[in-house]
Amino acid sequence: FQLQASGGGLVQPGGSLRLTCAASGFIFDDYAIGWFRQAPGKEREGVSCIGSSGEKTYYRDSVKGRFTISRDNPKNTANLQMNRVKSEDTAVYYCAAVAVSCSTVVETSTMESGSRSEKYRGYWGHGTLVTVSS
């Protein structure tokens, strides 16, 4: 399992950013894809998740109406469009292939690290830093 998140950077409050997750080494459309984030000193929390077929999407309440998740199964990629970002969105963002329900992803958090997630029965990729600041 290999997942690589990219697209992070410095963005002003109210601005937009688009993160991309590139996956390889597994059957991409067998898994839901979750986007997680971890701020310094905090647990890693799920912010959005998309089902394996892409038909169902889920969001943590704090990002509803601002973030949009999508996936392109033939290209083995997933995206997180972040609009109207806030300072509290500052974190390292990770994508993960998960085998639990998407509702579990967006309603929970974890102190797990490394490449394997027992809680979400899946695999993390390397993260990308998003900094929201003026």
Side-chain angles (χ1 to χ4, degrees), residues 37-45 108-111 119:
R37 67 187 180 188
Q38 188 165 22
K42 295 189 176 181
E43 294 196 348
R44 189 173 298 186
E45 65 178 14
T108 62
S109 59
T110 180
M111 285 301 291
K119 181 168 185 173

Side-chain angles (χ1 to χ4, degrees), residues 56-75:
K56 293 186 177 181
T57 58
Y58 299 76
Y59 300 92
R60 183 170 288 266
D61 285 347
S62 58
V63 307
K64 279 182 182 176
R66 301 188 297 119
F67 290 10
T68 302
I69 192 171
S70 60
R71 66 187 292 164
D72 186 335
N73 283 354
K75 293 183 179 180

Side-chain angles (χ1 to χ4, degrees), residues 15 19 21 23 26 39 52 55 60 73-75 78 81 87 89 93 99-100 108 117 121 126 128:
L19 306 184
C21 176
F26 63 100
S52 58
E55 290 184 356
R60 183 170 288 266
N73 283 354
K75 293 183 179 180
Q81 178 66 42
S87 58
D89 295 323
Y93 283 71
V100 296
T108 62
S117 172
R121 291 168 50 203
H126 295 290
T128 186

Side-chain angles (χ1 to χ4, degrees), residues 1-105:
F1 281 70
Q2 292 189 353
L3 301 103
Q4 178 66 58
S6 62
L10 175 63
V11 58
Q12 292 186 343
S16 298
L17 210 57
R18 185 175 179 84
L19 306 184
T20 297
C21 176
S24 63
F26 63 100
I27 301 174
F28 186 70
D29 48 5
D30 275 357
Y31 289 83
I33 297 297
W35 281 97
F36 294 77
R37 67 187 180 188
Q38 188 165 22
K42 295 189 176 181
E43 294 196 348
R44 189 173 298 186
E45 65 178 14
V47 295
S48 186
C49 183
I50 186 167
S52 58
S53 67
E55 290 184 356
K56 293 186 177 181
T57 58
Y58 299 76
Y59 300 92
R60 183 170 288 266
D61 285 347
S62 58
V63 307
K64 279 182 182 176
R66 301 188 297 119
F67 290 10
T68 302
I69 192 171
S70 60
R71 66 187 292 164
D72 186 335
N73 283 354
K75 293 183 179 180
N76 285 8
T77 60
N79 293 295
L80 184 69
Q81 178 66 42
M82 306 169 59
N83 295 331
R84 303 195 308 277
V85 297
K86 303 176 181 180
S87 58
E88 52 262 44
D89 295 323
T90 294
V92 177
Y93 283 71
Y94 302 85
C95 59
V98 299
V100 296
S101 68
C102 273
S103 57
T104 296
V105 169

